[in-house]
Amino acid sequence: MTLIKSISGIRGTIGGQVGENLTPIDAVKFAAAYGTWLKQHREKENYRVVVGRDARISGKMIQDLVMNTLVGLGIHVIDLGLSTTPTVEVAVPMEHADGGIILTASHNPKQWNALKLLNEKGEFLDAVEGAKILELAESNTMNFADVDSLGKITKNKAYIDLHIIEVLDLPLVTVKPIEAARFRVVVDGVNSTGGIAIPLLLERLGVDVIKLYCEPNGHFPHNPEPLKEHLTDLSDAVKKHKADFGIVVDPDVDRLAFMDENGEMFGEEYTLVACADYVLSRTPGNTVSNMSSTRALRDVTEKYGGTYEASAVGEVNVVKLMKKNKVVIGGEGNGGIIYPESHYGRDALVGVALFLSLLADKNISVSELRKTYPNYFMSKKKIELTPDLDVDGILKAMEERYQNEQITTIDGVKIDFPESWAHLRKSNTEPIIRIYTEAKSQQEADTLADKFIEEIGHVANALV
């Protein structure tokens, strides 16, 4: 299972068999399906698509295949080259384009890549639109342009700078107080495009930047998912340089985590909590995160008189509920900040600017800031999928086992207990079942997760 077609895009490993991995043929097929869908969806004379990539080793190869496939369909391409997911999202409406494609497998290791597909608003496609593209990819109905109607590729390297300008212009980003605070920050760019964008943003804000793994060569120095166990080098650098805090992003810069001045994790889940605290203190309103995110966001939202609601996992689901509830900020507990004042996409640049504004305003250390929030602890575990596992059967059985508790089934099975919760779901991006739990201590959260993993094992054996 190394080619995954889902709401989050077309994701797979490089090399191997056609149809089983993200081979050049698969990249062309899905790019052609997207371009065909775009032309059917938009129905106009000229079509434009923005394309950018993270720094993965396979990125240029996949991007060239994708762009030239679009050219073959008669679509004009704006090539951003090395970019970030939120930068491409911002560029689509700025360019008055019909859509966008980002070549990135987000937090997955270097052998993975993916096509993330955007609409004309620079937002991810919904499940219905995604299903149509998958259907087109398996058909032979794609019709390419004749030789006089081919598209053109135009390079534009300015968009990271334009994105930074857009962030600095946000009313709640307090540039002068941040400059006056003279922060010192270590940035772990995991040798991808965050190593370009985040230091540039910080330098514009007068921050003293110490770069760690900021060479965009695609050779990830550690597992690129921004979790504590992968960030010992960042912890050491923060302490060595006596920095105010550390920043780490994933390869495509839509996830953001902080480390305090002692080299301890601020908590990936608390990135959104802190940014929401700042935004809500100035623009009270409602919030949304996904079902696998901490209860702390609910607590902070209610403190300011707002209403919190949880969506199914997946950025498009979060955005849909955010629009419905007219929220002022939302996102995902994996460090994904979605701030509608900027755009409806997870954006680490926006998150960094809001966090710095909060710190400059409160004039306290990052460790002191963390103590001001409700203390919840989360365990994030997973079970590798094998062909014999009946995931739907397992989730149904778990739902029945806990039918006397508060159950939510819009995305897998979430079981809410008075002082804790557990969320069991099949991943959109990896061949795994995710088991997320949250409780009032790390030991309780880990114990609860292990209990569910054991139960799932028993249920799976019973279903075979």
Side-chain angles (χ1 to χ4, degrees):
M1 287 184 66
T2 48
L3 185 66
I4 302 171
K5 298 168 269 190
S6 77
I7 195 170
S8 298
I10 314 303
R11 186 178 299 235
T13 49
I14 298 299
Q17 292 288 313
V18 174
E20 294 178 9
N21 306 79
L22 188 60
T23 68
I25 290 171
D26 292 291
V28 168
K29 180 170 78 169
F30 290 111
Y34 172 75
T36 301
W37 169 81
L38 204 67
K39 292 170 79 171
Q40 293 174 354
H41 178 64
R42 299 284 284 166
E43 293 184 359
K44 48 187 287 208
E45 273 298 308
N46 295 302
Y47 300 89
R48 291 156 59 81
V49 171
V50 177
V51 182
R53 63 182 170 93
D54 71 13
R56 284 168 193 276
I57 298 164
S58 62
K60 187 175 187 308
M61 175 193 74
I62 297 292
Q63 183 172 359
D64 287 345
L65 289 164
V66 165
M67 291 194 304
N68 283 301
T69 301
L70 295 174
V71 166
L73 285 162
I75 295 170
H76 301 302
V77 174
I78 299 99
D79 170 15
L80 304 194
L82 287 172
S83 193
T84 78
T85 287
T87 303
V88 177
E89 291 170 347
V90 166
V92 170
M94 280 189 176
E95 283 286 336
H96 304 289
D98 301 287
I101 301 178
I102 307 135
L103 291 317
T104 174
S106 197
H107 63 274
N108 290 112
K110 69 176 184 179
Q111 66 268 30
W112 289 80
N113 213 326
L115 282 69
K116 289 187 175 182
L117 310 175
L118 305 175
N119 62 19
E120 72 279 6
K121 296 175 184 174
E123 297 169 14
F124 286 115
L125 306 187
D126 65 24
V128 173
E129 293 163 333
K132 179 64 178 170
I133 288 166
L134 296 181
E135 186 184 310
L136 280 166
E138 300 308 321
S139 73
N140 289 316
T141 59
M142 291 175 276
N143 189 22
F144 289 85
D146 63 44
V147 71
D148 294 316
S149 305
L150 297 174
K152 292 183 175 64
I153 298 173
T154 305
K155 292 183 183 294
N156 190 329
K157 307 294 186 184
Y159 268 100
I160 287 178
D161 285 330
L162 292 172
H163 185 186
I164 288 169
I165 290 166
E166 189 267 347
V167 171
L168 297 176
D169 282 344
L170 291 169
L172 291 193
V173 175
T174 55
V175 176
K176 290 196 181 307
I178 294 170
E179 288 174 341
R182 302 183 65 81
F183 293 111
R184 172 178 286 184
V185 177
V186 182
V187 177
D188 180 349
V190 74
N191 283 345
S192 190
T193 50
I196 303 170
I198 300 297
L200 281 174
L201 170 67
L202 292 172
E203 285 160 6
R204 289 286 301 274
L205 287 164
V207 174
D208 178 13
V209 181
I210 293 130
K211 296 180 184 179
L212 178 68
Y213 307 132
C214 286
E215 186 65 38
N217 57 27
H219 293 283
F220 304 148
H222 54 76
N223 185 310
E225 190 161 13
L227 303 177
K228 178 181 179 178
E229 57 267 31
H230 308 149
L231 302 174
T232 52
D233 289 352
L234 178 62
S235 177
D236 291 343
V238 167
K239 290 181 283 189
K240 176 186 171 186
H241 293 283
K242 295 183 170 55
D244 294 292
F245 62 99
I247 292 173
V248 61
V249 292
D250 64 342
D252 69 323
V253 204
D254 63 357
R255 288 176 64 175
L256 170 66
F258 298 109
M259 187 169 276
D260 73 16
E261 72 280 6
N262 303 311
E264 298 294 328
M265 291 301 291
F266 184 73
E268 187 184 35
E269 291 288 325
Y270 284 80
T271 301
L272 176 56
V273 175
C275 291
D277 179 30
Y278 176 65
V279 170
L280 290 166
S281 70
R282 283 154 174 73
T283 51
N286 302 327
T287 64
V288 162
S289 65
N290 69 39
M291 292 168 62
S292 285
S293 302
T294 180
R295 280 182 180 175
L297 180 62
R298 177 201 66 185
D299 296 350
V300 168
T301 305
E302 290 174 353
K303 180 180 85 171
Y304 290 106
T307 301
Y308 165 80
E309 191 174 350
S311 77
V313 174
E315 185 171 324
V316 67
N317 297 318
V318 176
V319 167
K320 185 176 180 182
L321 190 57
M322 285 178 68
K323 289 179 176 179
K324 179 186 171 192
N325 291 4
K326 297 182 171 61
V327 310
V328 293
I329 189 168
E332 299 188 289
N334 59 12
I337 305 298
I338 304 176
Y339 185 43
E341 184 76 17
S342 174
H343 65 114
Y344 278 103
R346 295 184 303 179
D347 191 331
L349 281 78
V350 167
V352 166
L354 292 175
F355 189 77
L356 284 166
S357 299
L358 172 65
L359 275 185
D361 177 59
K362 288 191 176 289
N363 193 28
I364 57 175
S365 70
V366 171
S367 62
E368 288 171 325
L369 176 67
R370 177 63 182 81
K371 289 173 187 170
T372 67
Y373 299 124
N375 232 3
Y376 293 103
F377 296 84
M378 194 172 282
S379 178
K380 298 182 178 183
K381 301 196 177 186
K382 57 191 176 185
I383 299 171
E384 300 286 339
L385 288 183
T386 55
D388 58 315
L389 273 184
D390 176 7
V391 179
D392 292 335
I394 288 168
L395 294 177
K396 188 66 183 170
M398 296 302 288
E399 180 189 344
E400 289 169 2
R401 277 186 172 219
Y402 288 91
Q403 58 187 295
N404 293 328
E405 304 293 344
Q406 183 183 331
I407 299 279
T408 311
T409 57
I410 60 169
D411 183 7
V413 178
K414 185 173 184 183
I415 304 151
D416 272 287
F417 305 104
E419 296 292 318
S420 60
W421 56 259
H423 188 198
L424 323 171
R425 60 180 290 275
K426 186 177 178 181
S427 171
N428 290 330
T429 58
E430 297 177 71
I432 57 175
I433 298 175
R434 295 193 186 278
I435 297 96
Y436 283 11
T437 58
E438 187 173 66
K440 289 296 181 78
S441 76
Q442 191 61 56
Q443 185 179 350
E444 288 175 82
D446 289 338
T447 301
L448 188 60
D450 291 338
K451 172 179 176 287
F452 274 100
I453 288 171
E454 188 178 340
E455 281 191 41
I456 286 170
H458 293 317
V459 168
N461 289 333
L463 290 173
V464 172

